[in-house]
Amino acid sequence: RYNERDDSGHFSNILDANVTINCNDTNERISQDTVRAKLTEWRKKYPLFGTSQALGLLTCQSWQDVRHQIPRVQAVGAAPILVVGTVNDPATPYRSAQALARELSSGTLLTWDGQGHTAYPKTRCVTSTVDAYLIKLTVPTDGRTCPAR
C-alpha cells in the first residue's frame, strides 16, 4: 500500500517523488568513505536493516548539482492564507511552516503541538479551525496553537 500499487500491478510515482524532494531539499552529499564506515558499523549494530540503511545514504550521490533558486513567496494582495505546521513532524520541519507564514504577505500560522506528518484532521481543534477557514472563510488568530490531543 505504501508504494501505491493498484489492482493491475502499476505503481504511482510516490517513491520517485520522495527521492526528488529529499535530494532537492539538501546540498549534502555523503562520501563513499563515510558510507563504507557506516556500512561496517551498522551491519554489526543493526543486523536486520543496517546494510540497507547505510546504502540508502548514497541515494542523492549522483543527484544534479545545479540548483534553481526557489523564488521568494509573497502573495501580495492575496486573501489570508492559512499555513498549518506540526511541531514534531518528522518529514516537514515546523520551522519551514513558520518561515512560509512569515514570507506570505497574508500568511496566518496555525500550529499543532503534536507528532506525526500532517495535522489535519487529527484533532478537533485543528479540524474545526481548518474547516472554518475553508468552509466559512473564518481566519484564525495568527499564531494559534492547538494541543496535541
Side-chain angles (χ1 to χ4, degrees):
R1 289 186 185 250
Y2 180 78
N3 296 323
E4 297 182 353
R5 181 174 190 248
D6 65 21
D7 293 337
S8 62
H10 295 97
F11 294 87
S12 77
N13 70 343
I14 190 169
L15 293 178
D16 296 325
N18 194 21
V19 169
T20 301
I21 292 164
N22 289 338
C23 292
N24 275 327
D25 277 354
T26 183
N27 288 326
E28 180 181 31
R29 298 296 179 259
I30 300 170
S31 73
Q32 289 186 10
D33 290 339
T34 299
V35 173
R36 282 188 190 101
K38 292 298 178 190
L39 185 59
T40 301
E41 176 188 343
W42 291 355
R43 271 185 181 154
K44 293 175 187 169
K45 193 171 182 179
Y46 313 106
L48 187 58
F49 295 112
T51 299
S52 63
Q53 292 300 307
L55 292 174
L57 296 172
L58 293 171
T59 301
C60 299
Q61 270 312 61
S62 62
W63 201 255
Q64 64 177 345
D65 288 329
V66 177
R67 301 279 183 232
H68 302 286
Q69 187 66 25
I70 297 174
R72 183 171 163 83
V73 178
Q74 294 179 337
V76 175
I81 299 171
L82 181 61
V83 177
V84 182
T86 301
V87 173
N88 298 299
D89 187 325
T92 309
Y94 176 67
R95 68 182 179 278
S96 295
Q98 292 173 306
L100 178 60
R102 277 192 310 270
E103 283 185 32
L104 293 168
S105 301
S106 60
T108 299
L109 180 64
L110 171 65
T111 298
W112 180 47
D113 193 16
Q115 298 204 19
H117 185 49
T118 73
Y120 181 88
K122 294 185 177 173
T123 68
R124 183 177 299 146
C125 177
V126 171
T127 301
S128 63
T129 303
V130 173
D131 285 354
Y133 171 77
L134 294 173
I135 297 167
K136 300 176 185 170
L137 305 179
T138 303
V139 180
T141 303
D142 187 34
R144 179 173 184 195
T145 298
C146 288
R149 297 179 191 239

